[in-house]
Amino acid sequence: MTSRFLVGATMLAVITGTAVAQRVGERAQIFERVRERAAQRQTKQADPNPSRITAPGDYRFTFVHDGISREYLVHVPKSYRPNRPAPLLLALHGGGGDADFQSDDAKYGLIGKSEQAGFIAVFPNGYSRFASGILATWNAGACCGKAVQNKVDDVGFLKEVIERVSRQANVDRNRVFATGMSNGAMMSYRLACELPGMIRAIAPVAGTDNTSSCSPSRPVPVIHFHAKDDSHVLFNGGHGPDSLVNVDFASVPASINKWVTLNRAQPTAKRALTVPGAHCDLYPARKGGAPVELCVTDTGGHSWPGGGTQQGRKQPSKAISANDLMWDFFSGL
């Protein structure tokens, strides 16, 4: 799955002139990639009746939702058997990214984790005003970009993605999970608020809960990952110095406290993990409730713990693996 993120970053540098985007978008050959990707997307026909997935592999699908052509990628692990329900992980890219970037194993390792753990990995593409799907964002509440400005129905889109993949493959509907990076993490929080009947648990990374209202019909387990030195979505809230959007983000403590209350979890945390450079605190579930866990890295900035280096960002913390810890958390539910 070829990444379009660098293409978007180059265009972002032209549009905004920001130093961060300029650092990421220096390579001229990227423009050729965007022309090729746009041509592929324009010639691909929408698939109103999703094709069945009967074998492991990588797939790309397009359909129209709310009048907008939308896309999602699916990775089916080698262990998949059509007669055996498989868990599903919805992986949401960050703002200004795209599905191809989130599915890049050198950066996030989610396809490798899919092969190891046996879940179907689904990478939806956010809303983009470009035919190639670059510079995509999610309408996660207060953030981000055109998806919020245009009031895009991303909740409805992601609901339909889950429904489509469940028709295409043998999905265990009791084990549908969501994770995401930055704006994608924020979107996972919104899904927990609005689709608690479909989403079993979420694992936001480097993004807080910025929903304006949240009244889930049932508790939704949460494991949140964040670096203390995140300069985009500040740990203690507000507008980060490296943020590309003018949003005062909710803090990590406020988001965790909110979900401890919503999930009727124990108000006092227990230290669940301590390693050099990171720790995790667990708020256990009370009767009828759901757990909340917070994993904090000392360094890593705005990145995916255990992931690969992303150009223009700090080296991700290697103290923990977000992929390993989130799947352990999901598997214990």
Side-chain angles (χ1 to χ4, degrees):
M1 297 180 182
T2 304
S3 171
R4 296 166 290 178
F5 179 80
L6 290 176
V7 179
T10 300
M11 297 183 68
L12 186 63
V14 175
I15 295 168
T16 68
T18 62
V20 173
Q22 287 171 342
R23 289 197 302 269
V24 181
E26 294 174 342
R27 300 176 184 176
Q29 67 265 33
I30 293 167
F31 287 109
E32 182 60 29
R33 292 186 196 175
V34 75
R35 284 193 291 269
E36 292 175 358
R37 185 67 192 94
Q40 291 173 5
R41 189 180 179 97
Q42 288 167 352
T43 57
K44 184 175 178 61
Q45 298 297 312
D47 184 10
N49 298 306
S51 305
R52 288 284 299 173
I53 295 173
T54 59
D58 295 324
Y59 302 85
R60 186 183 299 270
F61 300 100
T62 303
F63 69 100
V64 175
H65 176 77
D66 202 25
I68 304 170
S69 180
R70 305 297 298 266
E71 185 179 63
Y72 63 99
L73 314 181
V74 180
H75 176 78
V76 180
K78 293 181 178 63
S79 61
Y80 174 74
R81 298 293 180 270
N83 62 349
R84 187 173 64 210
L88 183 152
L89 178 65
L90 205 64
L92 309 176
H93 62 76
D98 59 39
D100 289 289
F101 192 71
Q102 190 70 27
S103 66
D104 185 341
D105 230 31
K107 296 178 175 64
Y108 293 98
L110 286 167
I111 287 180
K113 189 63 183 178
S114 162
E115 290 294 338
Q116 180 192 61
F119 61 81
I120 296 171
V122 180
F123 304 91
N125 211 87
Y127 171 74
S128 172
R129 54 199 174 99
F130 299 100
S132 63
I134 61 171
L135 294 181
T137 56
W138 300 105
N139 180 3
C143 186
C144 291
K146 292 293 183 181
V148 172
Q149 295 172 25
N150 294 345
K151 299 180 180 178
V152 174
D153 179 23
D154 278 326
V155 172
F157 163 59
L158 294 172
K159 178 180 180 181
E160 183 58 24
V161 167
I162 295 170
E163 294 288 2
R164 283 173 62 94
V165 177
S166 297
R167 295 196 298 272
Q168 292 177 290
N170 192 352
V171 172
D172 184 344
R173 295 299 296 266
N174 293 317
R175 301 183 68 201
V176 175
F177 309 103
T179 186
M181 171 68 192
S182 189
N183 182 206
M186 299 172 195
M187 192 67 214
S188 74
Y189 271 120
R190 185 169 184 188
L191 292 180
C193 291
E194 300 187 32
L195 296 180
M198 299 184 79
I199 303 297
R200 179 70 182 90
I202 63 170
V205 180
T208 52
D209 185 341
N210 291 272
T211 56
S212 57
S213 62
C214 184
S215 302
S217 57
R218 71 164 184 86
V220 179
V222 176
I223 181 168
H224 182 116
F225 299 88
H226 220 100
K228 288 181 180 178
D229 64 345
D230 192 326
S231 59
H232 291 250
V233 182
L234 300 178
F235 190 90
N236 290 315
H239 180 254
D242 292 327
S243 175
L244 298 179
V245 294
N246 188 25
V247 175
D248 285 328
F249 295 114
S251 70
V252 173
S255 299
I256 295 302
N257 290 337
K258 174 178 179 177
W259 279 91
V260 166
T261 300
L262 288 171
N263 281 350
R264 301 191 295 278
Q266 294 284 356
T268 303
K270 299 178 179 179
R271 184 59 51 94
L273 175 70
T274 302
V275 296
H279 67 270
C280 297
D281 290 331
L282 173 67
Y283 299 82
R286 290 187 285 190
K287 186 176 181 179
V292 176
E293 187 166 350
L294 170 62
C295 293
V296 179
T297 59
D298 295 340
T299 61
H302 196 60
S303 63
W304 192 273
T309 302
Q310 298 172 16
Q311 190 175 354
R313 294 182 183 173
K314 292 184 178 181
Q315 173 71 25
S317 172
K318 300 299 184 181
I320 57 174
S321 164
N323 293 344
D324 291 346
L325 289 176
M326 77 168 69
W327 201 253
D328 288 345
F329 180 82
F330 293 158
S331 299
L333 298 174

